[in-house]
Amino acid sequence: MKLQRKNRVRALAVGALAVSGALALSACGSDDTTGGPGASSAKSANIKCDGKGKLLASGSSAQKNAMDVWVQNYSGACKDTEINYQPTGSGAGITTFLQGQTAFAGSDSALKPEEVEKSKKICKGGQAINLPMVGGPIAVGYNVPGVDNLVLDAETLGKIFDSKITNWNDPAIKKLNPGAKLPDLKIQAFHRSDDSGTTDNFTKYLKGAAPQAWPHEPAKTWEGKGGQAASGSSGVSSQVKQTAGAISYFELSYATAGKIDTVKLNTGAQKPVDATVENASKAISEAKQVGKGEDLALELNYKSKAEGAYPITLVTYEIACDKGNKASTLPATKSFLTYLASKDGQATLKEQGYAPLPTEIADKVRKAVSSLS
């Protein structure tokens, strides 16, 4: 089972390298179809179809692998609807949605107040809301010869990525790893060169958990001092794999695919916490709703000391109008998003290296989707 799981995640991570491609799968097949290779084993009879024609959406590339399988499953059940999701990136997806070109958008960050205000022009009588749908851990991968078990905390990570700690045998790292043979080796910290939702969420963690060590404001654009840049999660993970002394942040599937060691976090819990799907779900379960009404924007607890809670997480939202959706796309939008938030839809996530939504949050998402009009 472990080998099968590693192979599955490795294959998915390789597929994530082609995030510039578009997904346009036409519905076909009988009621017994589950959507083809890689699709969930959930019976299509559990999907309630509604609406006809083509449903356009775009945005987050972090959720691409989940969206691939969701579209396959939905298309296998709903032959009258074609779902076209383009993984163009969170920023581009929101822009396209606010121009009225798509039924919904995927974003790794909740909408900003000014974006909500703009949405009122296309959501007639309403506004755009954030619907959390996908969770997952952001791993911190490293390449330190002779060290395969490394523990760091938020303060040390903040100083490493802001070039305040520059060598692997620094006293602060030694203190956290008393039994490790840390080499006298320069730290090569890599960050994303492109605007990234992963960067935004990683720096939110640094700012939230260690504000003195990380004085910069969270952003999709890297604000830290020094370090080296590479494009995309594939770029930074490749640099870590091939560079002695390197460290960077990327989705867990890239670490698994590249066989890259990942940092365990000292959060204040009794034991350091691994970057796993299960541990990310535990951390997300502590999130607080900061959106009002059916807007389910979340505030994550980056200072959690709960046992087994891994706090460097990413939550991807589907952005949709609460009211004023186009009559031509509303039925299919509600039907598709209902499936995504369903128990069957969420069950497919763990198989792909994502974290299913905690039950309490998923219940709220289902309620919010049912109220779209």
Side-chain angles (χ1 to χ4, degrees):
M1 286 295 292
K2 290 184 178 179
L3 181 58
Q4 292 176 346
R5 182 181 180 86
K6 288 183 178 179
N7 287 340
R8 183 188 302 116
V9 176
R10 184 179 295 115
L12 287 163
V14 172
L17 302 181
V19 295
S20 60
L23 177 65
L25 298 176
S26 298
C28 60
S30 68
D31 288 344
D32 293 329
T33 302
T34 57
S40 167
S41 60
K43 297 296 183 181
S44 60
N46 294 332
I47 299 175
K48 182 180 179 181
C49 304
D50 201 1
K52 297 181 180 181
K54 182 180 291 186
L55 192 67
L56 300 178
S58 65
S60 166
S61 60
Q63 69 171 353
K64 177 188 181 295
N65 292 329
M67 193 61 74
D68 282 357
V69 176
W70 278 334
V71 172
Q72 288 180 24
N73 290 346
Y74 187 85
S75 297
C78 306
K79 63 182 181 180
D80 292 329
T81 306
E82 178 184 327
I83 309 294
N84 185 319
Y85 181 82
Q86 299 184 19
T88 55
S90 299
I94 290 175
T95 297
T96 304
F97 174 78
L98 293 177
Q99 292 172 345
Q101 298 180 29
T102 52
F104 68 91
S107 175
D108 302 328
S109 301
L111 291 171
K112 298 176 181 178
E114 57 267 28
E115 292 171 334
V116 174
E117 191 62 31
K118 288 181 181 179
S119 74
K120 295 178 181 179
K121 295 181 180 180
I122 62 163
C123 303
K124 303 301 182 182
Q127 63 182 42
I129 57 174
N130 302 281
L131 301 170
M133 204 68 74
V134 181
I138 299 174
V140 179
Y142 68 94
N143 179 350
V144 182
V147 180
D148 57 9
N149 186 7
L150 181 67
V151 176
L152 297 175
D153 57 15
E155 182 177 356
T156 306
L157 279 171
K159 290 180 179 179
I160 286 174
F161 280 95
D162 205 29
S163 299
K164 297 170 184 172
I165 292 178
T166 59
N167 202 288
W168 281 111
N169 64 356
D170 187 275
I173 302 178
K174 284 185 175 181
K175 185 176 180 180
L176 291 166
N177 299 273
K181 295 182 179 180
L182 296 165
D184 182 6
L185 179 66
K186 182 180 178 181
I187 294 175
Q188 307 283 351
F190 286 89
H191 57 265
R192 293 276 291 270
S193 60
D194 52 321
D195 285 1
S196 161
T198 308
T199 294
D200 190 26
N201 283 277
F202 180 63
T203 53
K204 282 179 180 177
Y205 162 75
L206 294 178
K207 185 67 173 180
Q212 293 184 338
W214 187 260
H216 315 286
E217 289 302 314
K220 294 179 181 178
T221 302
W222 185 255
E223 300 291 340
K225 296 180 180 179
Q228 302 178 63
S231 179
S233 291
S234 59
V236 291
S237 60
S238 294
Q239 289 295 330
V240 171
K241 187 172 179 62
Q242 68 189 25
T243 307
I247 186 171
S248 191
Y249 55 93
F250 33 81
E251 290 78 18
L252 179 61
S253 60
Y254 287 90
T256 304
K259 297 182 180 180
I260 299 171
D261 290 324
T262 59
V263 168
K264 294 182 179 180
L265 289 181
N266 180 340
T267 63
Q270 291 184 3
K271 296 181 179 180
V273 185
D274 284 307
T276 67
V277 169
E278 294 81 5
N279 292 346
S281 288
K282 290 179 182 178
I284 294 172
S285 68
E286 295 189 32
K288 295 181 180 179
Q289 180 182 341
V290 292
K292 297 180 180 179
E294 302 300 336
D295 185 341
L296 301 177
L298 301 175
E299 181 178 85
L300 299 171
N301 179 14
Y302 297 116
K303 296 183 179 181
S304 174
K305 296 182 180 181
E307 295 301 320
Y310 183 82
I312 314 181
T313 57
L314 179 150
V315 173
T316 299
Y317 299 90
E318 312 309 335
I319 309 295
C321 294
D322 59 356
K323 299 178 182 178
N325 287 278
K326 295 178 181 178
S328 59
T329 59
L330 176 61
T333 298
K334 291 183 68 173
S335 172
F336 183 60
L337 294 182
T338 294
Y339 164 59
L340 269 55
S342 70
K343 292 181 179 179
D344 286 342
Q346 289 292 303
T348 67
L349 294 176
K350 189 174 180 180
E351 300 172 1
Q352 304 166 65
Y354 295 103
L357 295 174
T359 301
E360 182 180 350
I361 296 176
D363 287 343
K364 291 182 179 180
V365 173
R366 292 169 196 144
K367 180 182 177 182
V369 171
S370 69
S371 69
L372 299 181
S373 62

